[in-house]
Amino acid sequence: MNDAAAPLHASGADRLDGASDGRSRMPVPIGRLLARRRALTDEQIDRVLDHQRAHGTRFGESAVALRVATRSQVAAALAEQFDYATLEDGDDRPWAAALPVAAQPAGAVAESFRSLRSTLLPAGPRQRILAVVSAEHGDGRSFVAANLAVAF
């Protein structure tokens, strides 16, 4: 695999790979994640990188444009890279639409819940308890609680 792939990521907030003991960890590029899933070969990664440089696009967009990866493969790799939950392709269970954090993890609603999650995370070993409450029936408590749970 081309070592030039290391700094190329879909965005600045990358999933980090490595030990969970607080040591510095290196971001995992989306090309390597796709290679792990056997979606791309080293040669295809090099082609995608060349296309990415020439057109100024993101790695995943270039992979789809070159037809070496599907949108769902790129979405799954991004979910792994950014460490967020997703639903499987074709998941049409009735509750799937009520979980935009899982159904559309790259969407604005999902990003809002991840932002809320980051705000609620404790700074240090302290544990917190969260209650989602409202005064009226139908205010969206279940929606907020379920999507926040997926975000966590």
Side-chain angles (χ1 to χ4, degrees), residues 79 84-88 91 95-96 98-106 110 114 146-147 150-151:
Y84 53 76
T86 61
L87 298 173
E88 296 295 321
D91 193 339
W95 51 263
L99 291 172
V101 174
Q104 295 105 24
R114 286 191 296 274
N147 280 283
V150 173

Side-chain angles (χ1 to χ4, degrees), residues 14-125:
D14 299 313
R15 177 179 169 263
L16 301 178
D17 223 14
S20 59
D21 62 2
R23 291 181 294 166
S24 175
R25 298 174 286 172
M26 297 298 297
V28 179
I30 188 172
R32 289 206 180 113
L33 295 172
L34 286 167
R36 279 187 202 161
R37 296 169 172 269
R38 300 180 192 261
L40 292 181
T41 65
D42 290 347
E43 179 183 308
Q44 289 171 321
I45 290 171
D46 289 337
R47 283 182 45 219
V48 173
L49 289 169
D50 290 342
H51 184 275
Q52 180 184 23
R53 287 183 199 106
H55 294 90
T57 59
R58 292 180 174 162
F59 187 94
E61 293 167 353
S62 291
V64 171
L66 291 172
R67 295 187 173 145
V68 296
T70 65
R71 289 192 185 283
S72 69
Q73 288 171 322
V74 170
L78 287 170
E80 183 179 350
Q81 186 182 48
F82 292 104
D83 198 23
Y84 53 76
T86 61
L87 298 173
E88 296 295 321
D89 278 345
D91 193 339
D92 58 356
R93 290 179 264 195
W95 51 263
L99 291 172
V101 174
Q104 295 105 24
V109 173
E111 183 57 35
S112 294
F113 276 103
R114 286 191 296 274
S115 178
L116 178 59
R117 173 200 63 195
S118 296
T119 302
L120 295 172
L121 286 173

